[in-house]
Amino acid sequence: MIDLRSDTVTRPSAAMRHAMAQAEVGDDVYREDPTVLKLEETAAEMLGKEAALFVTSGTQGNQIAVLTHARPGDEVILEAESHIFYYEVGAMAALAGVQARTLPGVRGQMPLSQLKKAIRGVNIHYPETKLICLENTHNRAGGAILPLSYMKEVYELAQAHQVPVHLDGARLFNAAVASGIAVREFAAAVDTVQVCLSKGLGAPIGSLLAGSREWIERARKWRKALGGGMRQAGVIAAPGLLALNTMVDRLADDHRRAKRLAEGLAQIPGVSIRPEDVETNIVIADISGLSVGMADFLQRLAKESVLATDFSETTVRFVTHVDVDDAAIEATLLAVSRSVSA
C-alpha cells in the first residue's frame, strides 16, 4: 500500500528503533533524562533560541504556546485556515479561554494591511490582542512557504504593538530545505516556534517548542498542567534526536517527488492542479472535473493500493514522505489514471 494521506504515517527506521532501545533515560519531570536534555539543547541550537521543550505533539506545543502567551479573555490573531484554528479541536477556547480572530490569507499569508487593522487598541469594549500566530509551511495552502521577508514584516509590525508572534513550524524544516534558508533565520522572525519531529523528519512521536529561557520555564509548567510531564522519555526522544541530525537534508527528495506527482497529475484529464504551486511535500489536486465523486474516487484509489485523503468536497491531498520512493510516485500516477477511467 502506498500511503500518501500524510507524512505522519511514516514508520521509524531501523536506526531509530535501535536508538530507542539503547537510549539513556531518567525522569524528565526532574530534568534527569539525558537524552531529552540533549534533544532540547540540539533543537534550541538549530532554531537559534535560548531553550526548547520536548512535547508530545504539535498540537500540544501550539496550545502550550497560546496558554503561555495569553490569558482568558485575550485575543489571538491567526490565518483563517491555519492548523491552530482549523485542526486543533477548538483548544484555544476550551483550554486557554481566548478568542480567535481569523484573517483570510493568500497562500497562508495574512495581508499586512488587514493584520495591522486587526490588532486591537486600548478600549474597554475590546479584548486585548496578545498573540499573532503564523504557520510555515502552511498545510491548507498546499505546503506553501511563508517567505522570510513576509515573516519579518509581520514581526516588525507585532513588535511595534508589543504583541508576540508564535510560529506553528510543524513543517518548518521543509520550508528551510526548499528555500535554502536556515531554520534559525525563520525562527529569528518570531518569539516562539513549534517544530514537529513526526512529520517529514520521520520520528514516531514528538514536537519541540522553543523560545527564551524564561518563557520556556513558564511553558514547562503548562506542559505539566496538560499532563505532558513525561518520565523516562529518552526512549521517544532518541529517534527525535536522530531525526534532527540525519533526516533534514533528505526532505529535498520529498519535494522533488511531490513536484513530479503534481506534474503527472496535471496531465490526467479531469484533474486540475498547478504544479508551480507545489513548493514542498504537499500536493492538492482538484477532481471536480471528473465524473466520479470524492468517496468513489478514493475507494478506487485504495483498490489500486494508494491511499490519499479528501481535503474538501472537490480536492484530494497527497503528501510525500520518507516511505515513498520514486517508483511509488509512478505507481500512484498510474493508479490515478486507472481510477479516473474505471
Side-chain angles (χ1 to χ4, degrees), residues 57-304:
S57 69
T59 293
Q60 187 182 69
N62 287 333
Q63 294 307 317
I64 289 172
V66 174
L67 284 158
T68 309
H69 281 297
R71 296 180 302 177
D74 289 336
E75 188 167 77
V76 176
I77 301 174
L78 63 175
E79 200 276 330
E81 295 203 339
S82 62
H83 192 282
I84 296 176
F85 176 73
Y86 209 96
Y87 289 119
E88 299 189 8
V89 207
M92 286 198 307
L95 302 178
V98 299
Q99 175 169 290
R101 187 165 191 182
T102 58
L103 301 178
V106 178
R107 291 185 64 75
Q109 300 175 50
M110 296 176 285
L112 290 169
S113 60
Q114 297 301 309
L115 181 58
K116 184 176 182 179
K117 291 179 182 178
I119 297 174
R120 304 275 195 175
V122 177
N123 188 301
I124 195 170
H125 301 286
Y126 300 157
E128 293 185 40
T129 301
K130 286 297 184 180
L131 183 64
I132 296 170
C133 295
L134 301 175
E135 182 179 335
N136 201 4
T137 64
H138 195 288
N139 177 25
R140 289 194 61 80
I145 300 169
L146 265 62
L148 180 58
S149 58
Y150 169 79
M151 290 183 59
K152 287 180 175 179
E153 289 181 300
V154 171
Y155 196 41
E156 290 173 5
L157 175 62
Q159 286 184 311
H161 290 82
Q162 297 182 314
V163 176
V165 179
H166 172 68
L167 176 62
D168 176 2
R171 295 184 175 91
L172 186 60
F173 287 98
N174 290 89
V177 169
S179 66
I181 298 171
V183 287
R184 63 170 40 232
E185 293 191 51
F186 284 110
V190 295
D191 295 282
T192 58
V193 55
Q194 176 269 128
V195 294
C196 193
L197 300 169
S198 64
K199 291 189 171 68
L201 299 186
I205 189 171
S207 290
L208 289 144
L209 192 57
S212 71
R213 196 171 305 280
E214 182 273 335
W215 189 89
I216 287 294
E217 285 305 304
R218 291 190 286 123
R220 185 179 295 275
K221 193 165 186 176
W222 275 117
R223 186 189 71 168
K224 184 69 169 67
L226 295 179
M230 297 176 283
R231 302 302 177 180
Q232 290 70 39
V235 292
I236 55 175
L241 187 58
L242 194 63
L244 288 181
N245 289 329
T246 68
M247 299 293 283
V248 174
D249 291 343
R250 63 144 307 279
L251 291 172
D253 291 333
D254 296 344
H255 302 163
R256 174 178 57 79
R257 288 167 181 144
K259 180 71 77 171
R260 165 59 189 143
L261 178 59
E263 291 170 347
L265 290 171
Q267 302 303 312
I268 298 175
V271 178
S272 178
I273 186 171
R274 286 167 46 91
E276 59 269 29
D277 287 343
V278 177
E279 297 183 287
T280 53
N281 68 322
I282 297 176
V283 178
I284 299 177
D286 191 313
I287 63 165
S288 58
L290 301 180
S291 58
V292 62
M294 178 64 68
D296 194 15
F297 176 74
L298 293 176
Q299 288 176 1
R300 292 183 184 188
L301 270 185
K303 288 180 180 179
E304 295 284 346

